[in-house]
Amino acid sequence: MSVVADHLSWGVKRKAIVKDVSLRVTDGETLGLIGPNGSGKSSLLRLLAGLKRPDQGRVTIHGKDIAAIQRRALAQSVAFVQQNAATETSVSVRDVVRLGRTPHRSALSGWRAADQAAVDGALARVGMTHLQDQSWLTLSGGERQRVHIARALAQSPTVLFLDEPTNHLDIHHQIEILQTVRQLNVTSIVALHDLNLAAMFCDRIVVLKDGALVASGTPETVLTEDLIANVFRVAAAVSPSPHHGRPQIHFHTGV
């Protein structure tokens, strides 16, 4: 198992945000976290990545309790892509991606061939090599997300966490980003709000409601009409897509 969470709970003051969540993620798997706004997706993702400490429970990555791992050592194997990451600094695409090598370098170490190879490889994997000299400020939203994924890949992680990486992107860029993630040779845990995208690109799906895990399994077993009605409070018809065979969700608008 790449990532194992046992009975995670976390909250702010007296409000419980994540409630007794346990899950398992296998090597190379893409796991989707879905749920209504306020269901605890982002908080759970940060607990799994070690960016928050649980009030109860623990997380292990590759069999090691992340609470006992130094942050720099954890960052050498775990990368996090936040929602709508942005900067107003006029730096090049290459310089943004170079930041991913920080956990692997000491304050006195020079730029090594291994660092350059990691950056070049990351840019190539997200199809951004041809734009490496371009200013960050000139990029489209989809291109910026690909650069942030490249920066995460430059860390040489074995586990990649992504918090709604397609938020506020048009559908073309949403599909492009998730296709990129799907093709990476890493374990990926991604929080998503679009159920059809989760069905298309995730091997398994975890559903959260009010901070608790209410369903876990393949898209075919999890994304049912009853679950969508109970968790998301909307009527929908679910049928296999004629294009990819996975569940396709048609929402009833009542119009």
Side-chain angles (χ1 to χ4, degrees), residues 138-207:
T138 67
L139 301 181
S140 68
E143 289 168 341
R144 290 186 180 193
Q145 283 297 78
R146 284 160 63 189
V147 171
H148 279 293
I149 293 174
R151 181 175 68 176
L153 293 178
Q155 291 179 226
S156 302
T158 57
V159 182
L160 183 62
F161 296 92
L162 303 102
D163 188 9
E164 298 199 10
T166 62
N167 202 23
H168 302 308
L169 299 181
D170 60 45
I171 187 62
H172 170 77
H173 286 128
Q174 290 178 16
I175 292 173
E176 184 179 67
I177 290 295
L178 291 176
Q179 283 178 332
T180 298
V181 172
R182 179 74 179 173
Q183 293 165 0
L184 299 173
N185 187 28
V186 296
T187 302
S188 301
I189 304 176
V190 53
L192 292 167
H193 66 273
D194 188 302
L195 304 189
N196 280 305
L197 290 177
M200 287 174 62
F201 292 104
C202 297
D203 298 307
R204 285 192 306 118
I205 292 174
V206 164
V207 184

Side-chain angles (χ1 to χ4, degrees), residues 39-54:
S39 61
K41 300 187 300 295
S42 293
S43 295
L44 176 59
L45 201 67
R46 282 163 171 74
L47 289 168
L48 296 173
L51 300 179
K52 294 182 183 293
R53 290 291 181 96

Side-chain angles (χ1 to χ4, degrees), residues 4-25:
V4 176
D6 288 315
H7 302 289
L8 290 183
S9 293
W10 179 82
V12 177
K13 296 182 179 179
R14 295 185 178 181
K15 183 179 180 181
I17 307 297
V18 175
K19 307 172 185 176
D20 195 30
V21 172
S22 297
L23 56 82
R24 307 284 187 273
V25 189

Side-chain angles (χ1 to χ4, degrees), residues 84-91 96 99 136-137 144 148 151:
N84 298 322
T87 178
E88 296 305 316
T89 304
S90 182
V91 295
V96 173
L99 293 173
W136 161 265
L137 298 178
R144 290 186 180 193
H148 279 293
R151 181 175 68 176

